[in-house]
Amino acid sequence: MQTLFVASEHTHMASAILLILSQLAYFIIAKEQNFIKFSIKLGNLLLMQNIIIGIVLFTGLLMMAVTKFEVWNIAIGAMIFVMIGVIVHQILINKKRKPIKSDEVVAQQVYKKWVAKVYGAEVVAEIVVILLAFLV
């Protein structure tokens, strides 16, 4: 059981770091001037992030199941809260992207700025939770 827990913990942390890096990849994609190409790249990025979120959630639940759901602290509560926020933001990012047309330049710029703020806030929250997990 200890080996399973350690392997899950390493996979959990590695996938959390991959999630942060994929969220930072948005800032590279946002430089794309053509909104159709940007939208395709963002859709692929969202798909990749959803897979990584699934890995983070699965390994987290696996670690909690190994400990028989007996270990609870502020770091675990913060992790759950942040992951729920990330999932909600993923849905909102995808929903707000679809109705924007390729000729609505102002709406495109507003959308890109909003997504940049969302990803920036998510990255900061995830880093704080990771630091909190190491400290607690």
Side-chain angles (χ1 to χ4, degrees), residues 23 42-43 45-47 49-50 53 57 82-99 111 114-115 118-119 122:
Q23 289 170 333
L42 183 61
L45 181 67
L46 289 171
L47 176 63
Q49 287 175 351
N50 289 337
I53 288 169
L57 292 173
V82 167
M83 286 311 294
I84 290 171
V86 168
I87 292 169
V88 168
H89 284 132
Q90 291 288 327
I91 294 167
L92 291 175
I93 287 170
N94 201 25
K95 276 187 146 188
K96 288 187 177 189
R97 174 179 56 101
K98 292 193 177 189
Y111 175 75
W114 176 76
V115 174
V118 168
Y119 275 139
E122 285 181 3

Side-chain angles (χ1 to χ4, degrees), residues 57-112:
L57 292 173
F58 177 74
T59 55
L61 284 172
L62 187 62
M63 288 188 307
M64 290 179 71
V66 167
T67 61
K68 299 178 184 172
F69 296 93
E70 293 175 352
V71 178
W72 286 94
N73 58 28
I74 189 132
I76 292 173
M79 284 181 205
I80 293 169
F81 180 74
V82 167
M83 286 311 294
I84 290 171
V86 168
I87 292 169
V88 168
H89 284 132
Q90 291 288 327
I91 294 167
L92 291 175
I93 287 170
N94 201 25
K95 276 187 146 188
K96 288 187 177 189
R97 174 179 56 101
K98 292 193 177 189
I100 299 175
K101 295 185 172 84
S102 60
D103 58 344
E104 298 173 340
V105 179
V106 175
Q108 294 169 6
Q109 291 172 346
V110 168
Y111 175 75
K112 284 182 178 182

Side-chain angles (χ1 to χ4, degrees), residues 117-132:
K117 289 178 186 177
V118 168
Y119 275 139
E122 285 181 3
V123 167
V124 168
E126 290 164 3
I127 290 173
V128 167
V129 166
I130 288 173
L131 292 175
L132 183 64

Side-chain angles (χ1 to χ4, degrees), residues 18-58:
L18 278 175
L19 180 62
I20 291 171
L21 292 176
S22 69
Q23 289 170 333
L24 291 175
Y26 167 77
F27 296 102
I28 296 170
I29 293 173
K31 294 177 184 175
E32 180 68 52
Q33 297 299 321
N34 185 348
F35 190 74
I36 294 172
K37 288 182 182 178
F38 165 78
S39 184
I40 291 169
K41 288 180 181 180
L42 183 61
N44 291 335
L45 181 67
L46 289 171
L47 176 63
M48 182 179 66
Q49 287 175 351
N50 289 337
I51 292 169
I52 295 171
I53 288 169
I55 294 169
V56 170
L57 292 173
F58 177 74

